[in-house]
Amino acid sequence: MSAPAAAESTPDLPVLLEQVREDLVRSPGTVDVPRVLRVLRGQGRVLGASATLELTARLREHIDGLGPLEPLVAPGVTDVLVNDDGAVWVDDADGLHRAELHLAPAQARDLAVRLATAGGRRLDDAVPWADAHLPSGIRVHAVLPPLSPGGAILSLRLPARRRLGLDDLEQLGAIGPDSRRVLAAIVGARVPFLVTGGTGSGKSTLLAAMLREAAPAERLVVVEDVLELSVDHPHVVHLQSRHANSEGAGEVDLTALVRQSLRMRPDRIVLGECRGGEIRELLQALNTGHEGGCGTVHANTAADVPARLEALGALGGLDRGALAAQVASALEVVVHLGRHEGVRALEEIALLDRDADGALRTRTALRADRGRLLEGPGAAALAARLRDRDRSAVRDGAPRRDRGPGRRSS
């Protein structure tokens, strides 16, 4: 066989798949023609244009797709879960329920490794867990044995098919018209806030929708462990943490990224999710003139937020008193979401401040009840804060925005 004929021979697909996966780990991104050509050149192969396109399409199906889980991806589905026994569960508008599909152990492991690799993460016996973000926007978390007693465990968080704004959330029933105006006023007045709630309550969705209300000229710097916030705004830059490599080097955590964000001329610093000691850097950043900063925090109720922040602050070396002092001057509002019977909705808007003893607390300002907003002890203070912020914006030459909630909401 001549050399040109050998160069044109069909590549061994399993071997090529493995090499493309290794290339993705070194250089995360999409499976496209330039990547395939680069791998083929490494094999000393040359294919024609049509053969290369066909091969790229086949490789993309194997690497980018969800394989046996693909049929479960439908409108309204937010999560697809694979348990260690191979059972598959789906979370949608009807809540969490089991699918008819069942994965064999080898099938689940291969899928987990493939998806992690597509997201630029290593997943094997040496590193048996991974948190990755696929080019399609899907967030993948995977755990392999022996950390799981059975087979591989997969958790897929699917992005919304379209970017939702506050108007969209109002139409879906997640917020009422009064809530929509208050949330827009919080963003417009550059009040620093946290969106809180339990797992799957829609925190990232609401935060992205609120940031959509920011002035177009504002520069938003979003810091995340894994890319998840998709903000429909003309001036957004994203920073993503990096895990250590197989030698244990190269890690860049959220704390380092928050520090870097300060040098990027941000108008708003957005921390996708506060999970640890990076809360210290965020609070320090918000206390140095970066108004309108925000983030998300896991909490079961708005009243639980102070205790949750204290726990996070302890990871960052802040004692209770120091954290309370930092939070009281850096964060002002808590927007709390709940989820009941599969329905995600705003539950409460509360103020963060300190009590007579200096301890951090939340005070309910507005509580959602069947689409209406009922005033709580902090309603007047919230309205006053929004008005004061609005007046400051006008004095500084910024355009006047919605003046926030009035004395009564019905």
Side-chain angles (χ1 to χ4, degrees):
M1 183 178 290
S2 65
E8 286 283 355
S9 62
T10 303
D12 186 336
L13 187 60
V15 172
L16 188 59
L17 269 171
E18 185 61 28
Q19 292 179 344
V20 171
R21 287 170 179 167
E22 292 175 358
D23 190 74
L24 283 166
V25 172
R26 292 191 297 268
S27 177
T30 60
V31 179
D32 53 16
V33 170
R35 185 186 298 274
V36 174
L37 288 174
R38 182 168 65 244
V39 174
L40 288 174
R41 282 196 299 269
Q43 293 183 343
R45 293 181 179 274
V46 177
L47 295 181
S50 60
T52 302
L53 287 173
E54 180 180 352
L55 182 60
T56 301
R58 292 179 63 192
L59 290 169
R60 189 179 294 120
E61 289 175 0
H62 280 81
I63 293 176
D64 285 349
L66 297 181
L69 302 181
E70 194 71 44
L72 301 179
V73 179
V77 174
T78 60
D79 296 86
V80 177
L81 312 172
V82 180
N83 293 345
D84 59 353
D85 61 356
V88 180
W89 293 73
V90 174
D91 195 357
D92 56 21
D94 297 324
L96 190 62
H97 57 89
R98 186 166 180 170
E100 296 181 1
L101 181 65
H102 188 278
L103 299 188
Q107 191 179 21
R109 182 187 179 96
D110 179 71
L111 180 61
V113 172
R114 177 164 64 81
L115 294 180
T117 302
R121 303 298 195 195
R122 177 182 177 184
L123 182 64
D124 53 28
D125 291 339
V127 184
W129 69 85
D131 201 3
H133 184 270
L134 302 184
S136 61
I138 296 175
R139 179 174 176 175
V140 178
H141 184 269
V143 178
L144 297 181
L147 300 188
S148 63
I153 300 174
L154 266 168
S155 305
L156 308 184
R157 171 62 58 85
L158 277 58
R161 291 182 176 265
R162 62 189 180 96
R163 296 175 178 177
L164 302 178
L166 293 181
D167 291 337
D168 301 309
L169 295 180
E170 181 181 345
Q171 292 174 6
L172 293 171
I175 59 176
D178 291 333
S179 303
R180 190 246 180 275
R181 287 191 289 271
V182 175
L183 295 176
I186 290 172
V187 177
R190 298 181 60 80
V191 173
F193 65 94
L194 289 175
V195 178
T196 65
T199 300
S201 58
K203 298 185 295 297
S204 296
T205 300
L206 179 61
L207 178 57
M210 292 179 68
L211 290 173
R212 188 175 180 176
E213 300 291 317
E218 290 183 0
R219 178 175 171 85
L220 314 183
V221 180
V222 181
V223 179
E224 296 181 273
D225 186 33
V226 177
L227 294 178
E228 190 172 9
L229 273 176
S230 180
V231 183
D232 187 8
H233 188 276
H235 200 172
V236 183
V237 292
H238 293 267
L239 297 177
Q240 180 183 7
S241 66
R242 186 176 70 186
H243 294 187
N245 60 20
S246 57
E247 287 77 34
E251 180 181 11
V252 181
D253 61 14
L254 292 177
T255 298
L257 291 182
V258 172
R259 292 172 183 167
Q260 294 304 313
S261 71
L262 294 174
R263 298 172 174 84
M264 298 173 66
R265 201 269 178 209
D267 287 304
R268 295 179 191 259
I269 297 175
V270 182
L271 186 57
E273 183 177 343
C274 300
R275 293 183 176 181
E278 66 275 0
I279 187 70
R280 179 185 60 189
E281 269 65 34
L282 177 65
L283 293 175
Q284 290 176 351
L286 299 183
N287 276 316
T288 56
H290 295 87
E291 295 184 332
C294 51
T296 70
V297 169
H298 280 274
N300 293 327
T301 66
D304 292 335
V305 172
R308 176 65 172 156
L309 292 178
E310 288 173 2
L312 296 177
L315 296 175
L318 295 175
D319 60 31
R320 189 177 184 184
L323 177 87
Q326 290 270 6
V327 171
S329 58
L331 293 167
E332 297 188 31
V333 171
V334 170
V335 178
H336 187 76
L337 299 171
R339 180 177 181 181
H340 302 285
E341 299 180 353
V343 178
R344 303 169 177 85
L346 175 71
E347 287 189 345
E348 183 179 344
I349 299 175
L351 294 177
L352 265 173
D353 56 19
R354 304 172 75 177
D355 61 21
D357 296 325
L360 194 62
R361 67 173 180 177
T362 54
R363 285 189 297 150
T364 300
L366 300 166
R367 184 180 298 277
D369 180 23
R370 292 188 291 271
R372 300 184 306 140
L373 282 182
L374 305 179
E375 292 188 352
L382 174 62
R385 289 191 189 192
L386 294 181
R387 285 195 296 269
D388 289 344
R389 290 273 185 171
D390 193 29
R391 292 191 190 101
S392 297
V394 173
R395 285 198 303 270
D396 295 340
R400 181 180 296 272
R401 299 178 181 275
D402 191 328
R403 300 189 67 86
R407 290 290 300 145
R408 294 294 303 172
S409 296
S410 60

